[in-house]
Each structure stands twice: as C-alpha cells, then as structure tokens.
Amino acid sequence: MPGPTVLLLFAILSIAPMYVFSSPIRVTEVVQASSKGVNIDDYSVQLVPARLDMGSASVNDTFPRQWPSSYSTLSSMRTFHYSAGIGGRRWVIWAVNNDVDIVVGLDLGSDSGISELNSLSGDYLKSDAATRQQFEKRVLALCVGNESDDVKALAEGLDHARKLMAGGKLPVVPITSALLYSTTWLNAWWPPEAVTFTDKMLQLLPLLDIISFNCYGGYFSRGDQPPLTPEEDLTVSLSWSEQTGSTLLNQFGAIRAAMRNATLPEETQFWCTETGWASTPNRPEMEGWSSVQHLRTFYDGFLAFNTSALFRPQEGWFDVRPPERIFFYSLRDDPLRPEYFGLFNASQVLAPKV
C-alpha cells in the first residue's frame, strides 16, 4: 500500500494540468500573480485557444491554466496583432469570453493601426450586450503598436483609438503603446534617477493612459557590458533583487524617475509589457548565456518578484514602485523568427521548458 507521501503526490497530480513535462517538476510560489501575464507569440497565436476547467485540463489545451512549475492561475495575456497578418482576433474573443484578462495589441501596419482598430471596433459593435460587458471587464488596455519609434504613426493610432472610444465604438479602457527601453524615449540610462524622457516621448505622453516599456534587463548585452566581467554581467542580468544588483530593476527605476521628472500624476501606472530570457542563442554571445538553466533562473525571479514592494535602484536616493503589471515573453518558442524565449516548446501540446 502506498505511504502517505505517495498518496498525497497522487492526489496533487490527479488535479494538476496534464502537461508534458520535459524536466523535473518544481513548484514555485507566484507572488502577486494577478499582476503578471504572458505574451502570446506568433507561433501560439496560430493555434486555436483552449483551456478546460480546473481539474479537467488536458493535452488539448493551448493556453495553460497555471503558470508552469506553479499552481497559481495564469490569468492575463497580451497579444500583438488583431486582424493584421496572422492576427490575434480569436485569442482576444476567446479571452474576453473565458474570463482571461487581456491587453489587446493593435499592429500599426501601414496606416497607423487604423484598420486594426476599426476591425476591433466592428467586432465590439456586433457583440451582444453580455459580450460587450465582458470586453469592458476583461480588456485591461488597448496597446497601439509594439516597439515602434514612429511618433507620427503612433500619435495617429492612439488618437484614432481615443476617438472610437469616445464615440462608444470601443470598450472604455486605458490606451497605451509598448515602447522599447531605448534612447529613443529615454535620455541616458545611468544613474537611474537622473533619467528623463526625450522630446519624442514628451510628445506622446498626453496620448498615453499607461506608460508601457519592453524591458529585458541585461539579456541583450550577452555578456558584453563593460566594465563588468561576463560573469558579473550574467549575475546582475539574471537578478530581480536590489540586494545583488539588477539591471532590470535599474531599468524600472529609470522609467519611474523619468515619469517623476516629467511631473506625471503620482497615480500614473507603468507596465512592463515584455521581459524574458532565451533558452537557445540565435546570435553570438557569452558561452551558456542563453540556456534553459538561465531561463529557469530568470523565470523563478519573475514569479517571486513582488510588484507591490518598493525598491531602491542603484545609486538611488528614493524608493520607487515596481511596474503595476509585468508580462513575460513569451508563451512558446517561435522557431521561424527564430526566438526561443518561450516558457513552452513550439508545440501544440503544452510542453514546458521551466
């Protein structure tokens, strides 16, 4: 007869999602799970979204109920496109009808995102009253553009979204754009508290309800960030802790400082719309930099990070708030790009790497 430990393990596994595990099972607590979400990559968005009720999850699921290596609910996502290219419409419609919070991405394309916004508006207006209520409840924000530096196109798209919303043709939700952490938008990077917004960013600010940046910490230094040694660079790039030093937290601090220096209202939110670590390199880098081990380390830091606890950036003299929301990039690998930032392998079956 199995002992108590075996029976307990059997009971846990009997209600856990039937994922195909490719590594030993680890259970990690997710701190402030409701403030964390995942980006739906271009591989995943081509799959039919599916997730059965708790206790019934199966290998047919394409979106996990729990964060991998955790029993905490994965309750929010972000898409990149709506009708453009491979689109994301069915994921958006599925999310709002299945109680999954979503940041709806609108691709700028060649018309400043106007056709994308009109397509979303058409679906919203065709919906019945109950579905419209779900849109209002589950859409966290409209995100016009991703990592674009075209201020004119962004301004036109953001303005069009606001006009549609004012006319009752879109759900009344915050409007934002996912900007790349770069000198296009930020003057200098060090020390974090001296950072200010560029003139381009100051032009966009009146059109943004939420300040959103894609921040990858030191990942893209790939071990080449003088005066740090490659080993020191790796340590601070993987870290989510101010005690050990963290490139990512310094980026968060720099954005908060720029917001403060721009005298934005205290209640203005900052969202980190992308962060992550790759398991496989796609360009030259320090040996071992992109690896499953380092992806797991960075992911564990993400799960443990407290988005409600103040922290102090390096060389800082005041505490700052973390982002109110953070979205991990990405759900699956996308071998066609090629990108290997996924929490899961590129497969319809949910096969986690972490």
Side-chain angles (χ1 to χ4, degrees):
M1 178 178 180
T5 302
V6 174
L7 290 175
L8 176 60
L9 178 60
F10 177 80
I12 292 173
L13 291 177
S14 68
I15 63 172
M18 296 171 61
Y19 300 149
V20 179
F21 286 100
S22 58
S23 58
I25 297 175
R26 305 172 302 118
V27 179
T28 305
E29 179 188 4
V30 182
V31 179
Q32 299 285 322
S34 62
S35 68
K36 296 170 183 174
V38 69
N39 284 278
I40 305 301
D41 53 277
D42 285 353
Y43 181 94
S44 294
V45 81
Q46 298 176 72
L47 304 175
V48 177
R51 184 175 76 175
L52 301 183
D53 292 335
M54 181 74 78
S56 304
S58 75
V59 292
N60 295 319
D61 291 356
T62 54
F63 186 76
R65 177 161 291 278
Q66 285 92 15
W67 286 99
S69 302
S70 166
Y71 295 121
S72 297
T73 301
L74 202 175
S75 59
S76 61
M77 66 168 78
R78 171 184 170 233
T79 55
F80 291 89
H81 329 277
Y82 191 72
S83 57
I86 56 178
R89 172 191 274 115
R90 62 182 172 185
W91 280 81
V92 174
I93 301 300
W94 177 84
V96 299
N97 286 313
N98 286 273
D99 294 324
V100 176
D101 294 335
I102 184 167
V103 174
V104 179
L106 293 312
D107 190 273
L108 286 180
S110 60
D111 64 356
S112 304
I114 290 173
S115 58
E116 286 267 89
L117 284 159
N118 289 344
S119 180
L120 172 62
S121 174
D123 287 341
Y124 175 72
L125 292 174
K126 287 185 295 185
S127 301
D128 57 28
T131 302
R132 287 200 195 186
Q133 288 181 347
Q134 281 297 103
F135 267 97
E136 302 278 353
K137 181 180 180 182
R138 292 302 172 190
V139 175
L140 298 172
L142 302 184
C143 187
V144 180
N146 180 65
E147 297 188 355
S148 172
D149 59 3
D150 188 335
V151 175
K152 182 176 182 292
L154 287 170
E156 289 175 352
L158 293 164
D159 182 63
H160 188 65
R162 203 165 297 282
K163 287 177 179 176
L164 289 173
M165 199 175 292
K169 298 178 180 180
L170 283 175
V172 180
V173 297
I175 300 172
T176 189
S177 182
L179 306 173
L180 179 64
Y181 185 90
S182 72
T183 52
T184 299
W185 311 110
L186 299 159
N187 286 313
W189 295 346
W190 192 263
E193 290 183 5
V195 174
T196 58
F197 287 136
T198 63
D199 289 343
K200 282 188 173 182
M201 185 66 184
L202 294 175
Q203 291 177 49
L204 278 187
L205 283 183
L207 300 172
L208 300 172
D209 297 320
I210 298 166
I211 307 303
S212 301
F213 276 93
N214 295 348
C215 305
Y216 283 83
Y219 173 75
F220 287 104
S221 72
R222 301 181 186 275
D224 184 18
Q225 190 166 240
L228 300 178
T229 66
E231 292 74 21
E232 291 170 336
D233 189 8
L234 179 62
T235 297
V236 298
S237 295
L238 287 172
S239 173
W240 288 77
S241 170
E242 60 182 307
Q243 280 72 39
T244 59
S246 166
T247 307
L248 183 64
L249 294 195
N250 286 337
Q251 292 180 354
F252 291 168
I255 293 166
R256 285 293 190 191
M259 293 170 66
R260 181 173 181 265
N261 292 329
T263 64
L264 293 182
E266 182 64 26
E267 64 272 17
T268 304
Q269 292 197 6
F270 154 45
W271 292 3
C272 176
T273 34
E274 287 182 34
T275 193
W277 197 279
S279 61
T280 303
N282 63 0
R283 65 188 71 180
E285 62 179 29
M286 167 187 167
E287 185 176 356
W289 185 266
S290 298
S291 66
V292 172
Q293 176 187 346
H294 291 155
L295 169 60
R296 287 175 181 162
T297 298
F298 190 81
Y299 173 66
D300 286 351
F302 163 78
L303 297 184
F305 185 66
N306 190 340
T307 54
S308 66
L310 300 180
F311 71 93
R312 183 164 296 190
Q314 288 177 266
E315 296 193 13
W317 59 89
F318 62 89
D319 293 336
V320 299
R321 303 197 315 273
E324 277 79 9
R325 291 187 179 274
I326 306 177
F327 292 84
F328 204 92
Y329 186 83
S330 57
L331 184 61
R332 287 176 174 81
D333 287 342
D334 186 355
L336 296 180
R337 294 182 70 94
E339 289 183 346
Y340 302 95
F341 288 83
L343 298 173
F344 295 85
N345 290 306
S347 168
Q348 180 161 338
V349 174
L350 287 168
K353 299 187 293 182
V354 293

